[in-house]
Amino acid sequence: MICYSLRCGAEHEFEAWFRDSAGYDEQRATGEVTCPVCGDNEVVKAPMAPAVPRKGNRSGDPVARRTEELAADVVEAVEKLREHVEANCDYVGDAFPDEARKIHYGEAEERGIYGETTPDEARSLTDEGIEVYSLPTVKRRPTN
């Protein structure tokens, strides 16, 4: 596992875990790496200090084990968050920006919604004072 410091086009900085550097490259190329604040998928690596593992068998390395455990905990928490949103909010699909505006301006019933939008549209909603959060997706990758 590798943790990268990342930055989106709106200058939001965040960290994300990847199986390896190739995993980051693949996910970024397919648009899967998005800013958790605004949903922008124009994400680049931010400067960071390298973490160099010790030589030898890493399976006995308690730091490596703990890192993998924490990554698994994060994946589990994201999955639970998604399940909670799907169970308690209305799915509005591509109509998300319009429905969010209607709710914000009192033209529709106030309720939790989720759906899809572009990073630019998410920024526009935020600029209007409408709270929008990017809900991360977790794709399970095979383990070696």
Side-chain angles (χ1 to χ4, degrees):
M1 296 292 290
I2 187 168
C3 180
Y4 284 131
S5 292
L6 304 173
R7 181 181 304 131
C8 75
E11 299 296 317
H12 298 122
E13 291 195 18
F14 58 99
E15 292 182 343
W17 288 89
F18 301 90
R19 180 157 193 76
D20 53 30
S21 61
Y24 164 79
D25 294 337
E26 291 168 12
Q27 289 181 39
R28 185 173 180 277
T30 59
E32 294 177 57
V33 181
T34 60
C35 174
V37 177
C38 67
D40 187 2
N41 64 357
E42 292 299 319
V43 174
V44 296
K45 292 179 192 172
M48 59 186 251
V52 180
R54 293 178 292 167
K55 289 185 178 182
N57 182 356
R58 288 192 40 134
S59 64
D61 182 356
V63 174
R65 271 198 320 272
R66 183 66 183 136
T67 299
E68 290 176 9
E69 291 169 1
L70 288 172
D73 290 347
V74 169
V75 168
E76 182 180 346
V78 168
E79 289 172 343
K80 285 182 179 179
L81 173 63
R82 177 169 285 285
E83 289 170 7
H84 177 81
V85 168
E86 290 174 352
N88 295 286
C89 299
D90 292 336
Y91 177 72
V92 295
D94 292 339
F96 180 84
D98 293 333
E99 194 63 22
R101 284 187 176 94
K102 288 177 186 175
I103 292 169
H104 181 75
Y105 294 111
E107 299 167 5
E109 169 192 356
E110 187 170 328
R111 68 198 192 282
I113 62 171
Y114 70 104
E116 288 82 33
T117 191
T118 65
D120 287 340
E121 190 64 50
R123 275 192 291 278
S124 293
L125 291 168
T126 301
D127 290 346
E128 289 180 50
I130 302 170
E131 290 185 37
V132 177
Y133 301 96
S134 178
L135 189 59
T137 56
V138 178
K139 291 185 179 178
R140 294 279 185 181
R141 303 225 185 261
T143 57
N144 291 341

